[in-house]
Amino acid sequence: MWQFVFRRVAQAVVVLWAAYTVSFLLLFALPGDSVDAVAGASGAATTVDPAELDRRRAEYGFDEPLFTQYAHHLADALRGDFGASFASGEPVGALIAEALPQTVQLTVPALVLAIVLGTTVATLATYRVSRWLQQLLLSLPSLAISIPTFWIGLMLIQVLSFRAPVFPAFGNDGWRGLVLPTITLAVPTAALLAQVLAKSLSKTLDEPYVQTARAKGVGPTRIRLRHALQNASLPALTVVGLLVGGLLANAVLIEIVFSRNGLGRIVVDAVTLQDVPVVQGVVVFSAVVFVSVNLLVDLIYPLLDPRIVPSRERSAA
């Protein structure tokens, strides 16, 4: 078991390093640098003395070779220090801590709603009472996945904010302002979860132990909830771990659509200004959440099925 945990932790470290390195290289591949971007955004690009711009570049270390800059930034990141924003001068940790509650208020309810919707659709789709209804339920996940997330948000705003002013379209005010962005973020996640769970549940319902339960007179609902759902949830559990990363990525877009102040707004502003410390701080934080959730999922697997660890270790060997 300890070997299993060590391998997962080692993989998580590699993922964090890769996320940090790729984000660093992508930002420096953009034309210009943070000094030019900040000066242009403030309208001072044509009024600031070029010597002053060069002095600022030297202050931030932009005059050093790329590898030297990378090594310095990585060494600071390993100590948990991502520096201060080039644009505002505020510490990166403080910026993330200020915006994080708004993003958590959006992503956590969206994940819960996605799990409830996905499980409900997948379970109902396995009932064979009406073939057309079953086909309709099975087609819903594919349809929801194919629709762009931002389009769902815009349609909800059009219907439930403009035509029928039930919920506010923009802002961070109260629980009512969370309803539309939460639904928008949850729909594609629920669709993918329902697609995986429905397929797994259909296979599980054909297992011999389920047939035995039916022969003993156990009802269809109890068979699904008490016997089949736990075993069928293993593939879906993997999807939930992966979808956390997708939720964080989609949250960036959703916060822009609904004008919410969260990590998404910080990322967009930081990328526009090529604010390297802020972007890398958010990227590393998101990667930490992603690998932590997936590590937790890997540790939960043996609790649901003790055969998981030996089989994985043999396959890895």
Side-chain angles (χ1 to χ4, degrees):
M1 182 65 183
W2 286 111
Q3 186 179 9
F4 175 79
V5 174
F6 175 78
R7 288 186 180 182
R8 295 299 177 266
V9 172
Q11 291 173 0
V13 172
V14 172
V15 170
L16 290 175
W17 170 79
Y20 183 90
T21 302
V22 170
S23 65
F24 182 89
L25 295 177
L26 287 177
L27 284 172
F28 277 88
L30 296 175
D33 55 31
S34 299
V35 174
D36 290 330
V38 172
S42 63
T46 59
T47 60
V48 177
D49 185 8
E52 175 64 16
L53 295 178
D54 291 338
R55 186 193 67 79
R56 293 183 184 180
R57 290 189 182 94
E59 179 183 349
Y60 294 143
F62 292 152
D63 58 339
E64 298 177 345
L66 179 61
F67 180 79
T68 303
Q69 296 183 51
Y70 172 74
H72 289 164
H73 283 286
L74 182 60
D76 291 338
L78 290 174
R79 295 193 299 268
D81 180 14
F82 289 93
S85 167
F86 293 154
S88 66
E90 295 184 56
V92 172
L95 288 173
I96 294 176
E98 181 180 355
L100 182 60
Q102 298 296 333
T103 300
V104 170
Q105 287 179 8
L106 175 60
T107 54
V108 172
L111 180 60
V112 173
L113 180 60
I115 292 174
V116 172
L117 289 177
T119 303
T120 302
V121 171
T123 304
L124 292 177
T126 60
Y127 284 91
R128 299 173 182 174
V129 178
S130 173
R131 183 167 182 81
W132 72 267
L133 180 60
Q134 184 183 27
Q135 291 300 322
L136 175 63
L137 291 172
L138 290 175
S139 65
L140 287 178
S142 299
L143 177 62
I145 291 174
S146 64
I147 298 176
T149 304
F150 72 89
W151 187 87
I152 298 175
L154 293 176
M155 289 301 99
L156 288 175
I157 291 174
Q158 181 68 23
V159 175
L160 296 178
S161 292
F162 295 157
R163 294 189 178 181
V166 180
F167 300 106
F170 310 109
N172 295 59
D173 298 333
W175 67 268
R176 296 178 70 251
L178 275 172
V179 174
L180 297 186
T182 297
I183 295 174
T184 304
L185 189 58
V187 166
T189 305
L192 183 56
L193 181 62
Q195 202 171 44
V196 174
L197 185 57
K199 185 176 181 180
S200 177
L201 190 57
S202 296
K203 290 183 177 179
T204 304
L205 290 173
D206 292 331
E207 293 291 332
Y209 72 91
V210 176
Q211 301 294 339
T212 302
R214 285 199 185 101
K216 292 180 179 180
V218 180
T221 300
R222 186 175 181 184
I223 285 177
R224 283 160 174 77
L225 299 181
R226 293 286 300 275
H227 297 273
L229 194 57
Q230 178 176 338
N231 292 331
S233 65
L234 290 176
L237 185 61
T238 301
V239 172
V240 170
L242 297 175
L243 287 179
V244 169
L247 279 173
L248 291 175
N250 285 333
V252 173
L253 179 60
I254 299 305
E255 287 177 347
I256 297 302
V257 171
F258 289 93
S259 298
R260 294 184 57 84
N261 296 321
L263 291 178
R265 177 65 64 181
I266 288 180
V267 170
V268 171
D269 292 343
V271 171
T272 302
L273 298 175
Q274 294 180 244
D275 201 340
V276 178
V278 176
V279 174
Q280 292 200 292
V282 175
V283 167
V284 171
F285 171 78
S286 301
V288 167
V289 173
F290 176 77
V291 298
S292 299
V293 171
N294 280 276
L295 179 60
L296 180 62
V297 169
D298 281 335
L299 296 179
I300 291 176
Y301 267 125
L303 301 178
L304 298 177
D305 188 348
R307 298 170 298 175
I308 292 291
V309 173
S311 63
R312 284 191 171 187
E313 294 303 323
R314 284 196 300 268
S315 61

